[in-house]
Amino acid sequence: MKFSYTALILSVLIFTFISCEKEPEVINEDLYIELVTELSVLNQMNEQLLGEMTKQEKREEIFAHYNVSESEFNEAHEYYQSDIDAQMSRVKIIQDRLRTERDSVQAAERRHRDENRIDPDSIRKQIRNRNNNPEN
């Protein structure tokens, strides 16, 4: 009987120890969201916009900027993906950020086009000036 109580207590202690296992230390959620957002933009970038850099070099630059290694990011990615509902909320946040960024870029492009648009009177003046001044 004494052996059964000892075994039972020992089993409970072992079970408690195993179930209270500490969660892994991963990068915080805000930083994770920021990294996923930047990496998503990078994945969609045209290679020509990177200039001399490759996507992998730019990826390493992003990790260095945030002082996070790729393995730390991958570990956090696995951890955060393990809770599907919470990950879907994070994905929604990331999509909203990407949408906002896209809208901002599109607005800047429209402003640039509008500012550099030549009105018809200016075009006529340029033509007249060329016709009146054949040296140009």
Side-chain angles (χ1 to χ4, degrees):
M1 189 77 157
K2 190 175 184 179
F3 177 72
S4 324
Y5 287 126
T6 306
L8 179 63
I9 291 172
L10 189 57
S11 297
V12 169
L13 287 173
I14 290 172
F15 178 74
T16 303
F17 178 73
I18 290 172
S19 64
C20 292
E21 192 173 307
K22 190 174 151 183
E23 288 187 15
E25 289 187 30
V26 295
I27 59 177
N28 74 51
E29 188 175 16
D30 292 335
L31 178 56
Y32 171 75
I33 289 171
E34 192 70 30
L35 282 164
V36 172
T37 303
E38 287 214 29
L39 293 171
S40 296
V41 170
L42 175 63
N43 286 338
Q44 297 302 313
M45 276 182 105
N46 186 324
E47 296 279 343
Q48 293 172 336
L49 295 174
L50 297 173
E52 299 283 322
M53 294 183 97
T54 65
K55 281 190 178 183
Q56 182 58 35
E57 290 170 330
K58 189 66 177 170
R59 187 177 171 92
E60 291 167 5
E61 186 179 275
I62 290 169
F63 288 130
H65 174 77
Y66 290 101
N67 199 28
V68 172
S69 71
E70 189 161 359
S71 63
E72 288 172 320
F73 171 77
N74 290 336
E75 184 178 317
H77 190 57
E78 284 182 31
Y79 173 76
Y80 287 125
Q81 280 191 320
S82 67
D83 182 351
I84 295 172
D85 292 332
Q87 185 67 353
M88 292 306 292
S89 295
R90 285 185 283 275
V91 167
K92 173 84 171 90
I93 291 168
I94 293 165
Q95 287 174 332
D96 290 345
R97 287 183 180 187
L98 290 171
R99 191 172 298 112
T100 300
E101 187 65 27
R102 181 203 61 210
D103 293 347
S104 173
V105 168
Q106 288 175 342
E109 287 175 340
R110 278 191 300 275
R111 280 192 310 273
H112 178 73
R113 265 194 316 270
D114 291 345
E115 289 170 1
N116 293 310
R117 183 173 289 147
I118 300 175
D119 63 64
D121 289 334
S122 296
I123 294 172
R124 280 191 285 275
K125 285 179 186 178
Q126 288 177 358
I127 292 171
R128 285 183 194 137
N129 286 341
R130 265 191 252 142
N131 290 337
N132 293 336
N133 201 357
E135 296 171 7
N136 293 347

